[in-house]
Amino acid sequence: VGMVVIIATVERATGRVIKNADIISRGFILLKDNREFLEEIRKRLRNIFSRIKVQEVEPDYLKALIRDQIGQFLFNRTKRRPMILPVIIEV
């Protein structure tokens, strides 16, 4: 079914995302052929980060939130359920 790795770099003090999340897909979809799909995932990630205070929540909760919401979005669009592996890097 494939795997999607989402790597988000977050500033620890402010909780804001420093740059666009890196998204890696293995065995799911070719991201270079689906630029608008990739941007939609990034838009949804920004939405998740804007709704919560990153510095006030547990990293495991944040990862579960990303896994659930992005997983639901991917299923709605593709009818497939890749494994989603969120990685949060605090700097």
Side-chain angles (χ1 to χ4, degrees), residues 6-81:
I6 298 170
I7 304 168
T9 306
V10 177
E11 192 173 286
R12 184 175 298 152
T14 64
R16 70 180 183 88
V17 180
I18 293 177
K19 61 181 180 105
N20 269 343
D22 292 325
I23 300 172
I24 303 164
S25 172
R26 294 289 179 260
F28 178 56
I29 58 170
L30 277 176
L31 293 177
K32 65 181 176 186
D33 296 340
N34 295 286
R35 290 277 179 220
E36 60 282 339
F37 190 61
L38 186 64
E39 278 310 308
E40 183 67 26
I41 294 171
R42 283 195 175 116
K43 181 176 146 195
R44 288 176 183 272
L45 284 168
R46 281 192 297 270
N47 189 23
I48 291 169
F49 282 108
S50 70
R51 288 193 323 249
I52 63 170
K53 295 193 182 307
V54 175
Q55 67 272 35
E56 294 177 8
V57 298
E58 289 292 319
D60 289 340
Y61 172 75
L62 182 57
K63 290 177 187 177
L65 194 64
I66 292 170
R67 199 175 293 118
D68 292 345
Q69 293 192 9
I70 299 299
Q72 188 62 48
F73 167 70
L74 294 177
F75 180 75
N76 290 342
R77 289 286 296 267
T78 65
K79 301 300 181 224
R80 294 169 62 199
R81 292 193 187 277

